[in-house]
Amino acid sequence: MQQQMRQLQQQIQNQKQTADEVDTLEEKVAEVEGRQDEWLSDSIVHLAGYGEFNYADREDADGSFGDFLFAPIFHYQYKDLMMLESELEITVNDAGETETALEYLTLDLFLNDYMTLVGGRFLSPIGQFRQNLHPSWINKLPTAPPGFGHDGAAPISETGLQLRGGVPLGRGMFANYAVYVGNGPEILAEAHGEAGETDFEFELDGIEAEGMNADEDGEKVFGGRLGLLPFPGLEIGISGATGKATVTELEHVDIESGFLGGTEEDAEAALSGEPDRDYDVFGVDFAWQWRGLDLRGEYVKSEIGSEAGSVAADGAEWESWYTQAAYKFTPTKLEGVLRYTDFDAPHASSEQEQWMLGLNYLFASNVIAKLAYEFNDGQSGAVTDEDAFRAQLAYGF
Amino acid sequence: MKMNTSHEREKAFRTLALCAVLFAPTAGMAGDAQDRAADISRGAQTWVNNCARCHNPRDPKEFRDDLWKPITYHMRVRAGLTGQQTRDVLKFLQESN
């Protein structure tokens, strides 16, 4: 009898211990759940971006490592209403100095399911390369197509307001759109003082379409892009911009000995009172994915109109197009790429026709090693005429 | 219609911009009811159809649930996704990691 009593007491004690353990466990679960809820706040901070490391060996130069790029992208989001996005580009120049640039900074206000108002300095919606393909972990070759980089035919960025979004059209079709108004670009010119002459000769040198922080001519540029996705895997886009731009800066001043018309300062002074002139951009693009094949192409033309009242009266246009095919050799991690580009510019030294052949190894979808060779055809003696071998390691995070 | 002057081109672009502002929400709501609950299967389909338009698709396991939210909203702006597509893709990614 006494033994049975002891066994019962022991069972009661064990049950009490188990109940205490369950209580403790429940408290711990509640604590962990509470910690998880801490991540689900109204405001979210997120750091994304990409980095790259390059090696280049041009035909008439020694091969060198360089062109490191660290491009952090900051996201600050408040509920489903607002997001701040900003990308920096941190590079090291040939002198070993660090350079930092603000690629874009926007406040995105999500108005409804179909419209987002974007304000600030944003990537140009003209075409696809600049706004969607330029990060090195996305671009399938180590360089941008000629004419789609800085000082090319395609605008880089714009400062202003943009409305963009997507719209379902029914039967599996979608459209996306972007319309914007911005400060527009500024025009670069160059001056040449010839021996024996008394006046500089000016001509247009380039378009500085990189989100100018002021509107020198007071005339806004209007533009946009409309993309149509008739079925999954295919997107066709048309884009354009129009407005005014003004010559504001001299990129080069070349004065020969014996020139009688003044100094570099005199050439720069001649730009005061420059009139605004027509600025127009037109672009079309397409992208098609089918199984392991990625085929895309893009055409863009930027045009500056003639203006009799300007120091550089003649107009100019910059035009470039590329088409690119990439194929993933599944189940391996290899990807082959072939791209053709033809860039026409007012100056022969900038013009370039390029074939680029590349082989990529995808360590992961966002970690890519690239080997590529450029076959370039440009002005004889110019860097645009030199073939080049390039290697790049890119990581998107 | 031949546009002879920059002024006419600007006017045409302004008109297009106005049409887009007025047309976009109306057309969208006609084809799809707004604020439907996020759906994982629709999200998977949208993820397959859209991410590879520009880049290699990222593994859902690459990020935590809370980090996928700003990423998908960033892509909403970049890729021209609707709000519904964004919520669907977010649901798919959060349920698949």
Side-chain angles (χ1 to χ4, degrees), chain A residues 80 85 112-113 280 296, chain B residues 9 53 74 76 83 87:
Chain A
D80 295 339
E85 299 186 79
N112 59 39
D113 267 9
D280 297 290
R296 61 179 67 245
Chain B
R9 280 192 294 268
R53 277 163 48 198
H74 165 76
R76 172 183 171 176
R87 291 189 292 275

Side-chain angles (χ1 to χ4, degrees), chain A residues 313-394:
Chain A
D314 292 339
E317 62 181 45
W318 292 256
E319 184 180 36
S320 187
W321 69 275
Y322 75 87
T323 185
Q324 174 181 290
Y327 186 77
K328 287 192 180 77
F329 299 99
T330 51
T332 74
K333 295 182 175 182
L334 293 172
E335 180 181 49
V337 191
L338 179 65
R339 185 179 74 196
Y340 172 79
T341 312
D342 188 7
F343 176 38
D344 293 326
H347 296 292
S349 60
S350 301
E351 292 191 320
Q352 192 174 32
E353 187 179 0
Q354 181 186 83
W355 283 97
M356 199 164 187
L357 185 63
L359 183 65
N360 300 335
Y361 186 82
L362 284 70
F363 291 98
S365 62
N366 56 329
V367 182
I368 305 167
K370 309 175 194 175
L371 298 175
Y373 197 86
E374 291 176 1
F375 301 90
N376 289 316
D377 186 12
Q379 188 183 43
S380 181
V383 70
T384 49
D385 194 45
E386 294 180 31
D387 294 348
F389 166 77
R390 297 183 185 277
Q392 183 184 73
L393 183 61

Side-chain angles (χ1 to χ4, degrees), chain A residues 39 77 80 83 85 112-114 137-138 163-164 166 174 222 235 278 280 296 328 365-366 396, chain B residues 6 9 14 21 32 53-54 56 58 62 64 69-71 73-74 76-78 80 82-83 85 87:
Chain A
W39 293 104
Q77 183 172 1
D80 295 339
M83 173 180 270
E85 299 186 79
N112 59 39
D113 267 9
Y114 312 99
W137 75 272
I138 298 175
L163 192 68
R164 59 187 294 151
F174 279 87
F222 297 84
E235 179 172 6
D278 290 346
D280 297 290
R296 61 179 67 245
K328 287 192 180 77
S365 62
N366 56 329
Chain B
S6 173
R9 280 192 294 268
R14 284 175 185 159
V21 170
D32 209 359
R53 277 163 48 198
C54 296
N56 299 319
R58 305 287 284 262
E62 202 177 330
R64 292 192 313 254
K69 185 170 183 181
I71 295 169
Y73 275 75
H74 165 76
R76 172 183 171 176
V77 178
R78 279 282 168 280
T82 66
Q85 287 178 309
R87 291 189 292 275

Side-chain angles (χ1 to χ4, degrees), chain A residues 175-214:
Chain A
N176 54 57
Y177 68 93
V179 290
Y180 70 88
V181 55
N183 287 337
E186 295 178 8
I187 307 171
L188 303 173
E190 62 179 24
H192 178 66
E194 197 173 328
E197 295 293 328
T198 56
D199 294 315
F200 280 102
E201 286 181 14
F202 293 87
E203 59 180 352
L204 301 184
D205 187 64
I207 304 172
E208 199 168 15
E210 300 196 30
M212 309 311 291
N213 204 34

